[in-house]
Amino acid sequence: MTAPLGRRLCEVTENRASGGYRVFSLRDERGPAPEAGQFYMLAAERRWEERGGRPFLPRALSVADAEPAGGGVRLNFLLEAVGPGTERLCGLEVGEGVWVNGPLGNAFSEPRELAPGAAGAILVGGGIGVAPLALLRRRFAARGVPTQILLGFRDRAHSGGLDDLFSNCQIGLASDDGHLGERGYVTDLLAAMLEGDDAASAAVYACGPPPMLEAVRAMCAARGVACELALESPMACGFGACFGCAVPLAEGGYMRLCVDGPVVAGDRIAEVTHA
Ligand SMILES: Cc1cc2nc3c(=O)[nH]c(=O)nc-3n(C[C@H](O)[C@H](O)[C@H](O)COP(=O)(O)OP(=O)(O)OC[C@H]3O[C@@H](n4cnc5c(N)ncnc54)[C@H](O)[C@@H]3O)c2cc1C
Ligand code: FES
């Protein structure tokens, strides 16, 4: 577990459309470099409030990419506007301030840490859940881990990040409406891949909507393939204090997703549920 750092003010350095999503970047001069799978709690410095004037809680965002920049680190996030917090973050202008807490939570493991025979990785992303897989892909490439990437999107409005976060990558693509890659679910591509000879030597890493994650979990469990899932849960604090993010464990009891996750081995949970 990574201990929460003090909240610090960072400056927006870029904010641009990326398909139906937005990529926005912050210059973090004081924080450590994050690992793939970790997340940050973000709140705009100004106008972070509902119409009635009550400030929001910060919002959790996975780090989608990170690189050293001028003594600090440049953090990239992939955002989908689904409510007031993400809408405000999507509307930030270059030079505006964002309160940042992180990096928080745990990171994805190496394939051999998940299963001794797993030398390679299959990354499976759905929708805005492709975000943490971009940094994971970059880290695995730097370490020479053979990696295959499968990404799926609902429709044109709910897709993005490909050119900005996955440029020069070979990717298997699927979309529900057929606008990109094969018509169907990304889990159809995974099922076909897991039938192949390489499947036994790969570990699966997935992030996306709960039904997709549950399909990946069940598929990997049925085939004895190790997997890690980056889950979501409503998060109020992000560092273990509020218990708002509790997720039931297969063995009984609960984990706090913000400190024991968000990355969870598939066999630790009985099912990926959603409200
Ligand atoms: C670890 C983690 C990483 C995340 N990474 C990203 C990211 O990289 N990019 C991104 O765009 N979003 C990400 N999210 C999701 C984002 O934090 C939430 O959607 C956030 O609540 C949006 O705030 P809002 O004020 O815009 O909308 P809200 O008003 O909070 O919610 C809008 C709608 O989404 C539903 N909702 C909100 N949060 C959740 C949740 N956690 N689970 C299920 N339904 C929910 C609400 O019921 C409502 O229908 C992440 C969440 C977590 C926990
Ligand atoms: S978000 Fe508060 S304990 Fe996890």
Side-chain angles (χ1 to χ4, degrees), residues 234-245 256-259:
M235 289 189 183
C237 71
F239 49 79
C242 72
F243 288 74
C245 60
R256 285 168 299 169
L257 199 69
C258 64
V259 288

Side-chain angles (χ1 to χ4, degrees), residues 78-168:
L78 188 67
L79 263 170
E80 179 172 23
V82 296
T86 44
E87 274 162 20
R88 174 68 184 111
L89 293 170
C90 282
L92 284 165
E93 289 178 15
V94 171
E96 281 199 84
V98 177
W99 289 109
V100 165
N101 196 350
L104 299 168
N106 64 1
F108 289 107
S109 312
E110 295 277 328
R112 285 223 163 83
E113 291 171 334
L114 288 181
I122 303 173
L123 314 191
V124 187
I128 196 69
V130 305
L133 302 183
L135 184 55
L136 185 63
R137 191 267 315 168
R138 195 204 266 261
R139 293 283 149 89
F140 279 170
R143 291 171 199 156
V145 176
T147 302
Q148 307 193 70
I149 307 170
L150 304 175
L151 303 180
F153 299 96
R154 196 193 318 170
D155 54 31
R156 204 176 291 278
H158 298 88
S159 66
L162 289 177
D163 294 341
D164 294 290
L165 299 171
F166 293 92
S167 58
N168 303 320

Side-chain angles (χ1 to χ4, degrees), residues 164-258:
D164 294 290
L165 299 171
F166 293 92
S167 58
N168 303 320
C169 297
Q170 211 177 344
I171 304 174
L173 286 168
S175 54
D176 301 12
D177 67 351
H179 83 280
L180 203 61
E182 294 195 23
R183 182 185 291 270
Y185 293 146
V186 68
T187 46
D188 300 337
L189 304 183
L190 177 64
M193 198 170 268
L194 291 183
E195 296 300 327
D197 293 341
D198 293 347
S201 62
V204 172
Y205 299 82
C207 186
M212 185 207 99
L213 290 180
E214 173 53 19
V216 171
R217 186 205 63 77
M219 211 178 278
C220 290
R223 291 167 171 80
V225 175
C227 73
E228 273 188 340
L229 313 172
L231 301 180
E232 271 194 30
S233 171
M235 289 189 183
C237 71
F239 49 79
C242 72
F243 288 74
C245 60
V247 169
L249 291 167
E251 66 202 29
Y254 290 85
M255 72 167 91
R256 285 168 299 169
L257 199 69
C258 64

